[in-house]
Amino acid sequence: MSGGLLVAGTTSDAGKSVVTAGICRWLRRRGVRVAPFKAQNMSNNSAVVVGPDGRGGELGRAQAMQAAACGLAPDLRFNPVLLKPGSDHASQVVLLGEAVDTVTAGNFHTLRPRLAATAYAALAELRSEYDVVICEGAGSPAEINLRAGDYVNLGLARQAGLPTVVVGDIDRGGVFASMFGTVALLDAADQALVAGFVINKFRGDLGLLRPGLDMLRQVTGRPTYGVLPWALDLWLDAEDSLAYGRVLGRPAAPRGTEWLDVAVVRLPRISNATDVEALATEPGVRVRLTVEPAELAAADLVVLPGSKSTVADLTWLRETGLADAVRAHAAAGRPLLGICGGFQMLARAVHDEVESRRGSVPGLGLLPVEITFDERKTVRRAAGTAAGDVPVHGYEIHHGRVSAADPGLPPLLRHADGTGEGARLGAVYGTHWHGTFESDGFRRRFLTEVAGAAGRTGFKVAPDTSFAAARERTLDLLGDLVEEHLDTDALWRLIESGPPPGLPFVPPGAPETR
């Protein structure tokens, strides 16, 4: 078979990514060869895939998570178009894993045909190779100002003949209005593809919800395929850092007598914020995102994460007083870690004629290195060791490189060939490698060292925490939620047979999209 389904949403962060992953895991359990797909993703959280030619490429992290739900290695075709915002007005275009251009409101119409053609071709290839492809939409399909150029929501569904379910987040309120309004703002051809709804993040008595579900069916002619409950444990592999609350996950009680407090600066253009998720899986480690200088003073470890706009975010650090707070934290001998763009900010100077085109600007001066931006982006998997013998793996996505460093400055990590990576000076650490804390041994060694430097002698790492197992438990939970709370027989009929015939038109509708 060559079945398919589009999971759309009433809004961004309605739950499209997790519902897609849950359906993928459910289908995999049934023995179906299933793959995920998102035609276009806008996110600075990405994963690295090594292609057949040995070169690294990027795709949205949510699609890498969905691939794991399918039991697959990530494939660049799962997310053929990735837009990485560098400002409020421009995004880097990553096409099948490679940065090829910059898109703005002004030039999108000229780029769109190429992006759409690439997305359609990738989906066609996947449908020829897999039994089922579960597609995730972006934002809302009722963004009528964007419908004419759409190739990720109902533009994709119409081109590929995909039945569509619309996910709504009831926790935000107004879910019935948003679901009805989504259908009613579509033209007749698009409405004919929308088969029904899924309600997400429900807390309460389902009996009290039932009258609303019945009325929604009466006014739209479409069923609700199920109601997914609120699940506190669904926080790993966030597509967007805005999906995080102030504290990541649900910190387990410490194994020792003390907690370790980690403050992560929520940069305006934060990228790969998922780096710190592995820290949050450790018992006794409280990880919070903050923009408050006062909160850095109380932290045991401060993390400057990755950034899609290093120089702009460095300027923001200075304007908000956070730069002074970071320096004060380091001056007190308390641990400070910079990852990728955050590492670059710790340098003496940043020379950037590529990303910001600001030329040479002073860094925070906390590590005796200089950073120079190259036109070609480094995108690759990485593996090596830390502290001489601790295996560590990760990935790199950056334009900046260390172009100068003081002689004898010790590296934080070493590549497999023995060359150094990153730097450390006292309790200040920096690396271009993302994902290192997913290596359980390195994470434990690092936290033990950090706790000592912070004076948290009562903190003890757990010897049995496995980040890979935590991720797998999340995927299994998603599969369980789909099996227990959605009408999987009805979903299977959609996937197998396509949009149901005779779905009613809901007025007023939009003008026909051509």
Side-chain angles (χ1 to χ4, degrees):
M1 64 177 295
S2 180
L5 179 72
L6 175 68
V7 179
T10 56
T11 62
S12 295
D13 198 33
K16 298 183 294 292
S17 295
V18 294
V19 171
T20 298
I23 293 173
C24 286
R25 178 52 63 106
W26 158 63
L27 289 171
R28 183 195 176 201
R29 289 173 175 174
R30 291 186 55 155
V32 176
R33 294 183 305 124
V34 58
F37 180 79
K38 186 163 185 171
Q40 175 188 292
N41 200 342
M42 179 173 280
S43 176
N44 280 330
N45 282 350
S46 58
V48 170
V49 178
V50 178
D53 59 358
R55 293 176 58 183
E58 297 177 73
L59 83 164
R61 194 167 184 91
Q63 281 61 66
M65 178 266 287
Q66 292 160 357
C70 299
L72 301 173
D75 184 318
L76 295 175
R77 296 175 299 173
F78 295 165
N79 176 209
V81 181
L82 174 62
L83 304 182
K84 305 190 74 173
S87 71
D88 291 340
H89 308 289
S91 296
Q92 185 180 66
V93 179
V94 179
L95 193 63
L96 287 174
E98 184 175 357
V100 297
D101 211 331
T102 298
V103 65
T104 65
N107 70 350
F108 178 73
H109 69 284
T110 60
L111 288 173
R112 181 200 165 277
R114 178 186 179 190
L115 305 184
T118 301
Y120 293 156
L123 177 57
E125 286 184 12
L126 292 173
R127 297 189 77 182
S128 72
E129 296 173 19
Y130 292 92
D131 299 330
V132 173
V133 179
I134 304 298
C135 305
E136 178 189 342
S140 163
E143 291 167 348
I144 52 179
N145 56 314
L146 303 176
R147 177 59 183 91
D150 171 50
Y151 60 90
V152 62
N153 288 307
L154 286 164
L156 178 76
R158 196 187 292 192
Q159 195 273 343
L162 296 172
T164 300
V165 295
V166 176
V167 179
D169 178 359
I170 197 170
D171 196 56
R172 296 184 178 197
V175 71
F176 293 118
S178 61
M179 286 178 161
F180 176 84
T182 295
V183 179
L185 280 174
L186 302 176
D187 70 17
D190 284 352
Q191 287 194 24
L193 300 173
V194 178
F197 311 100
V198 170
I199 288 182
N200 191 30
K201 300 182 185 178
F202 178 69
R203 294 186 269 196
D205 183 350
L206 192 56
L208 296 177
L209 191 66
R210 185 63 58 190
L213 301 179
D214 294 341
M215 188 176 294
L216 183 65
R217 183 161 193 160
Q218 291 171 13
V219 298
T220 66
R222 292 159 172 83
T224 296
Y225 290 102
V227 178
L228 295 170
W230 177 275
L232 288 173
D233 291 329
L234 299 180
W235 57 276
L236 288 178
D237 291 305
E239 182 174 58
D240 191 324
S241 66
L242 294 178
Y244 293 134
R246 292 194 68 245
V247 177
L248 269 62
R250 289 192 295 165
R255 296 293 177 89
T257 59
E258 290 189 281
W259 286 79
L260 196 67
D261 188 57
V262 180
V264 182
V265 179
R266 194 192 285 268
L267 301 167
R269 296 298 170 190
I270 190 171
S271 67
N272 288 70
T274 47
D275 283 330
V276 296
E277 290 183 341
L279 297 179
T281 63
E282 283 288 343
V285 179
R286 181 177 181 268
V287 180
R288 54 195 166 89
L289 279 78
T290 183
V291 294
E292 298 295 333
E295 292 193 355
L296 302 192
D300 299 310
L301 168 66
V302 169
V303 179
L304 289 180
S307 168
K308 184 63 185 68
S309 300
T310 297
V311 171
D313 280 355
L314 180 57
T315 300
W316 175 83
L317 282 179
R318 291 188 166 108
E319 291 173 346
T320 58
L322 283 160
D324 291 337
V326 168
R327 287 196 185 95
H329 180 90
R334 301 175 73 81
L336 170 65
L337 169 67
I339 303 174
C340 199
F343 169 38
Q344 296 165 4
M345 294 178 200
L346 299 178
R348 284 189 301 228
V350 178
H351 310 291
D352 180 14
E353 296 289 355
V354 175
E355 193 174 75
S356 69
R357 304 189 186 278
R358 291 269 300 275
S360 296
V361 298
L364 297 178
L366 297 174
L367 285 174
V369 301
E370 295 188 17
I371 301 293
T372 298
F373 275 60
D374 292 331
E375 285 283 351
R376 186 166 187 83
K377 183 190 285 190
T378 296
V379 181
R380 62 189 178 192
R381 302 293 302 178
T385 58
D389 60 351
V390 180
V392 59
H393 60 82
Y395 57 98
E396 297 181 61
I397 307 173
H398 54 91
H399 284 281
R401 60 178 173 83
V402 176
S403 54
D406 280 5
L409 180 67
L412 178 60
L413 308 168
R414 289 196 179 276
H415 290 271
D417 63 6
T419 56
E421 154 54 33
R424 56 181 300 164
L425 184 64
V428 179
Y429 312 86
T431 178
H432 274 122
W433 289 14
H434 293 286
T436 56
F437 294 128
E438 296 180 20
S439 300
D440 297 331
F442 172 67
R443 183 179 66 251
R444 293 174 190 138
R445 179 73 66 89
F446 182 80
L447 288 175
T448 298
E449 183 172 331
V450 161
R456 297 292 185 186
T457 56
F459 173 81
K460 304 295 181 186
V461 293
D464 55 352
T465 303
S466 166
F467 182 77
R471 175 175 282 154
E472 195 65 16
R473 285 194 299 272
T474 297
L475 296 174
D476 280 334
L477 174 58
L478 288 171
D480 293 343
L481 290 172
V482 166
E483 290 184 1
E484 294 170 15
H485 298 281
L486 299 190
D487 185 347
T488 53
D489 289 340
L491 285 177
W492 179 251
R493 289 193 294 271
L494 277 183
I495 291 168
E496 191 175 36
S497 303
L503 289 168
F505 175 74
V506 179
E512 181 179 353
T513 304
R514 297 185 181 276

